[in-house]
Amino acid sequence: MKVLLTGVAGFIGMHTAHALLDAGHTVLGIDNLNDYYPVALKLARLDTLRRREGFYFRQLDIADGAGFQALQAHERCEAVVHLAAQAGVRHSLMAPERYVQSNLVGFANLLETCRQTPVQHLLYASSSSVYGNGTALPYHEDADTDHPLSLYAASKKANEAMAHAYAHLYGLPCSGLRFFTVYGPWGRPDMAPWLFTEAMLKGEPIHIYNHGQLQRDFTYIADVVAGIVRLLPLPPEPVAGSPPWRVLNIGNHQSVPLLEMIATLERLTGREAIKEWLPMQAGDVRATCADSSALTKLTGYAPATPLAEGLAHFVAWYREYHGL
């Protein structure tokens, strides 16, 4: 298929583009290359894709509705993988307007673009943040998501509802993937694996929130993109009056204590972390764990990368990228 992939210069976007190209698809990637973190990292990711046959790039902001619609009307991509968003729970407390523009206005533009120039499948990124703190582990897709703890989480919950409306009104096949804590080479500088690795190698303190009483479902990037590629050719069908819409967890089905992850990084870097213990961060959740059985049943998705192995790949990449 010819696939329109938004957020292609992002962490998950770059890896997904490579996996789609490996599977024989053509990829038209778009990204606004914003400065949420260093643009040089995004350009370096793009450089790994520009050399590949079947990849094309356009710099475009999804908040530009007219530009987005004109692009799809001209290119007529058969499917969309929508990964563009303003990411980060903590940043949403400081710059809420970015989340409104990208995650709400941008997503509305995406849906309207897919209505005007229909696609076979819209696969978009949601988040485990929608579950908040009120759900027993592991999270199942039917669990309560009515109590988000941050604007970021609320924007992802809104995306799911907006997609449902378009699936109901216009028959647009929509699949939302609730990503858990995705990590690996080329990861984001605002996430714990990068922040902790960088601080340890520089001999600087790491900030540990809720005094270390946090758990996360860490999911390696290669496992995540395998699930995306498998799901893309399987759009939901309308069943018994229900629209062609679904949401699915994509995680590792393991909840790892944050302190265990830190200890693993200490072994891999050969440096003991200087720990600064802090209270719970506003908007954060205590623990996450995915029940991904629905995705497994549909696609055979089965994450296979242990945390120690995945972190070893990340640390090796980090050293190479920074010339250490």
Side-chain angles (χ1 to χ4, degrees):
M1 290 190 290
K2 185 177 184 180
V3 181
L4 177 62
L5 196 161
T6 71
V8 71
F11 167 41
I12 301 176
M14 181 208 75
H15 284 282
T16 300
H18 278 297
L20 290 170
L21 292 166
D22 290 343
H25 301 293
T26 298
V27 176
L28 171 60
I30 68 171
D31 202 292
N32 68 353
L33 301 176
N34 71 22
D35 61 356
Y36 171 56
Y37 57 81
V39 176
L41 176 61
K42 300 181 180 184
L43 294 175
R45 293 187 188 126
L46 274 179
D47 284 343
T48 73
L49 289 164
R50 292 184 192 274
R51 299 187 289 269
R52 299 205 54 177
E53 185 177 353
F55 176 75
Y56 307 90
F57 175 70
R58 300 287 187 277
Q59 185 170 347
L60 180 68
D61 193 324
I62 58 172
D64 175 6
F68 198 8
Q69 291 165 21
L71 178 67
Q72 170 61 354
H74 179 263
E75 297 290 344
R76 299 198 169 269
C77 296
E78 299 155 280
V80 174
V81 177
H82 176 59
L83 302 175
Q86 178 58 58
V89 169
R90 292 166 186 165
H91 190 62
S92 69
L93 278 66
M94 298 177 285
E97 68 284 352
R98 285 195 172 197
Y99 293 77
V100 171
Q101 282 300 307
S102 183
N103 300 7
L104 298 177
V105 174
F107 194 75
N109 290 338
L110 171 80
L111 291 170
E112 190 59 17
T113 295
C114 291
R115 180 186 74 83
Q116 293 185 13
T117 308
V119 297
Q120 297 173 22
H121 193 185
L122 165 60
L123 194 160
Y124 64 93
S126 187
S127 169
S128 63
S129 297
V130 301
Y131 291 111
N133 266 333
T135 302
L137 301 180
Y139 296 156
H140 186 272
E141 290 89 347
D142 292 336
D144 173 54
T145 59
D146 291 335
H147 302 90
L149 301 182
S150 66
L151 181 62
Y152 171 74
S155 73
K156 291 299 185 179
K157 168 71 173 178
N159 288 171
E160 295 178 3
M162 294 160 73
H164 186 279
Y166 269 69
H168 169 74
L169 292 170
Y170 308 114
L172 174 62
C174 296
S175 295
L177 281 175
R178 290 173 176 167
F179 291 105
F180 283 65
T181 305
V182 187
Y183 74 100
W186 295 99
R188 291 204 335 250
D190 64 326
M191 295 187 70
W194 185 305
L195 290 170
F196 292 171
T197 298
E198 183 172 65
M200 288 177 193
L201 292 175
K202 290 181 176 180
E204 298 174 350
I206 64 173
H207 295 164
I208 304 177
Y209 293 99
N210 203 33
H211 305 284
Q213 301 304 304
L214 297 172
Q215 295 177 220
R216 290 293 182 268
D217 190 326
F218 293 101
T219 315
Y220 188 60
I221 184 63
D223 293 330
V224 168
V225 299
I228 293 172
V229 173
R230 289 185 181 199
L231 185 62
L232 187 61
L234 302 172
E237 300 285 345
V239 177
S242 296
W245 175 93
R246 63 187 169 208
V247 290
L248 297 163
N249 290 331
I250 182 165
N252 200 34
H253 197 66
Q254 295 183 28
S255 193
V256 178
L258 181 65
L259 295 181
E260 180 180 326
M261 188 270 273
I262 293 170
T264 302
L265 284 176
E266 288 177 321
R267 290 195 299 272
L268 292 168
T269 61
R271 307 287 181 86
E272 183 177 353
I274 303 168
K275 302 177 180 69
E276 184 175 332
W277 306 95
L278 297 170
M280 190 70 166
Q281 180 93 338
D284 214 347
V285 299
R286 291 183 294 272
T288 64
C289 184
D291 178 344
S292 297
S293 57
L295 182 61
T296 300
K297 184 177 180 181
L298 273 171
T299 68
Y301 166 80
T305 308
L307 179 62
E309 179 184 332
L311 287 176
H313 292 316
F314 171 75
V315 172
W317 170 83
Y318 181 93
R319 289 181 182 276
E320 180 182 2
Y321 181 75
H322 291 279
L324 300 176

